[in-house]
Amino acid sequence: MNILEVRNLRKEYPKFILNDVSFVIPKGYIMGFIGENGAGKTTTLKAMLNVISKDGGTVDIFGKNMDENEIEIKKDIAFMPGNAFYPKRKIKDITRVFRRFYSNFDEEIYQEYLKKFNLDQDKKIDELSQGMSLKYSIALALSHHAKLIILDEPTSGLDPVARDSLLEIFQSIIEEGEISILFSTHITTDLEKCADYITFIQNGEIIESLSKEDLIAKYRLVNGSLGSLSSIETDLISFKKNAFGFTGLIKTDQLKENDKIKIGIPSLDDIMIYYAERGVAL
């Protein structure tokens, strides 16, 4: 079962177009939503949730159309944009307001996560580290039994230890197979640790939306001397020249037998970088 289905989502601005974005998330998995700053990640999330109006396309969540069932659907979603809380308010005051919006708010679970995350309810938001603020967001999300958690750049600005801790929390959340997580990021090393699926957006268009393993398997890094470049150049997505020759990215099914070319496995960073070098999407 797909917990989220986005089909041909479109949003037009004078200088940017989100062009027919489509992807799906199966129930009980983590999807990383990657792309450069300005690629359309946040616009997609906001249009998907009707935070901004869309100019086309459909969004189904929990098997229901978002436009027709928005209030019902949003009771089971947690959307965590950056800086979502009033910085001068105490945790307990924000929670008091939050409870009113969710009839299924579970006080026992909420208190359990406060204890687990070592959160002091008398602390103000601006007294929390970025990591602790995010943990508070997660505590709120789980307290109303959200089935889909959506985070916009959640690990940006965190130190490596805090990031690793949060990734472990994400993985524990989906263990029972009932909750899915979608989070946008440009820190692709985080996704290599925890994501099951990757959706890659560039210039408002989806380049790939695959399982992480299938995405990596679809591409290969190649390198060789400048003299050997001409034998493969037309098949490359893009390449960079260096003092030793060249390095480029190619689709695995475009590889041909060539004893002058060395082949390696790309990282998610490599895939993003070489598409950016090309400057256009396929």
Side-chain angles (χ1 to χ4, degrees):
M1 173 187 173
N2 292 327
I3 205 163
L4 170 66
E5 298 185 4
V6 178
R7 304 290 185 191
N8 302 314
L9 186 64
R10 188 174 183 84
K11 177 66 180 179
E12 298 185 23
Y13 291 107
K15 295 184 179 180
F16 178 80
I17 297 176
L18 196 67
N19 190 21
D20 295 334
V21 165
S22 299
F23 60 91
V24 303
I25 303 177
K27 183 179 180 181
Y29 290 93
I30 297 175
M31 175 175 278
F33 191 29
I34 67 173
E36 303 169 74
N37 290 331
K41 299 188 299 296
T42 299
T43 301
T44 297
L45 299 182
K46 288 183 176 180
M48 193 177 80
L49 295 173
N50 288 344
V51 176
I52 58 174
S53 62
K54 55 183 178 288
D55 296 314
T58 61
V59 177
D60 289 346
I61 303 178
F62 315 129
K64 301 172 183 178
N65 180 269
M66 183 64 172
D67 291 335
E68 298 171 2
N69 302 277
E70 182 173 353
I71 294 176
E72 179 185 357
I73 288 170
K74 284 187 173 179
K75 288 180 180 179
D76 293 320
I77 290 177
F79 177 42
M80 303 179 198
N83 302 317
F85 303 118
Y86 292 107
K88 298 299 180 183
R89 294 288 185 180
K90 292 181 178 180
I91 285 177
K92 63 182 179 183
D93 296 329
I94 293 171
T95 304
R96 188 179 299 118
V97 174
F98 185 87
R99 280 192 190 94
R100 299 173 186 171
F101 292 95
Y102 295 97
S103 59
N104 59 343
F105 187 91
D106 190 323
E107 183 67 29
E108 184 177 344
I109 289 178
Y110 172 67
Q111 292 296 335
E112 179 183 320
Y113 276 98
L114 287 187
K115 184 176 180 180
K116 180 177 180 178
F117 296 154
N118 197 28
L119 287 163
D120 181 352
Q121 292 196 80
D122 288 316
K123 288 269 191 179
K124 295 179 181 179
I125 294 299
D126 64 1
E127 294 175 328
L128 302 178
S129 68
Q130 189 175 346
M132 293 299 286
S133 181
L134 183 54
K135 286 180 180 180
Y136 174 53
S137 294
I138 293 170
L140 287 179
L142 297 175
S143 70
H144 70 91
H145 302 282
K147 298 173 186 174
L148 175 61
I149 299 176
I150 301 172
L151 308 103
D152 193 8
E153 300 281 358
T155 58
S156 180
L158 298 182
D159 64 68
V161 174
R163 292 206 331 259
D164 190 66
S165 173
L166 287 167
L167 297 177
E168 288 182 359
I169 291 169
F170 294 162
Q171 288 176 307
S172 69
I173 287 171
I174 66 163
E175 278 181 356
E176 295 182 6
E178 295 298 318
I179 299 172
S180 297
I181 296 175
L182 169 64
F183 75 94
S184 70
T185 184
H186 58 273
I187 306 173
T188 58
T189 52
D190 290 344
L191 303 180
E192 289 168 352
K193 293 179 181 178
C194 74
D196 303 293
Y197 291 85
I198 302 292
T199 293
F200 172 26
I201 188 169
Q202 185 183 53
N203 298 329
E205 297 188 359
I206 299 298
I207 303 297
E208 300 285 8
S209 189
L210 297 167
S211 72
K212 181 175 60 183
E213 291 75 15
D214 287 345
L215 177 60
I216 296 298
K218 189 172 180 177
Y219 294 91
R220 287 293 179 262
L221 281 178
V222 292
N223 63 78
S225 66
L226 290 178
S228 64
L229 177 58
S230 60
S231 67
I232 197 173
E233 183 173 354
T234 57
D235 295 322
L236 297 176
I237 290 162
S238 71
F239 62 90
K240 295 181 178 182
K241 295 180 180 179
N242 54 55
F244 305 100
F246 79 95
T247 302
L249 185 72
I250 190 171
K251 288 191 174 181
T252 305
D253 61 10
Q254 293 293 309
L255 280 171
K256 301 178 181 69
E257 189 173 341
N258 189 332
D259 58 10
K260 296 179 180 179
I261 301 296
K262 294 180 180 179
I263 301 168
I265 298 173
S267 65
L268 295 175
D269 263 355
D270 291 327
I271 294 171
M272 277 184 59
I273 288 167
Y274 280 100
Y275 266 101
E277 285 290 311
R278 184 179 182 177
V280 295
L282 285 181

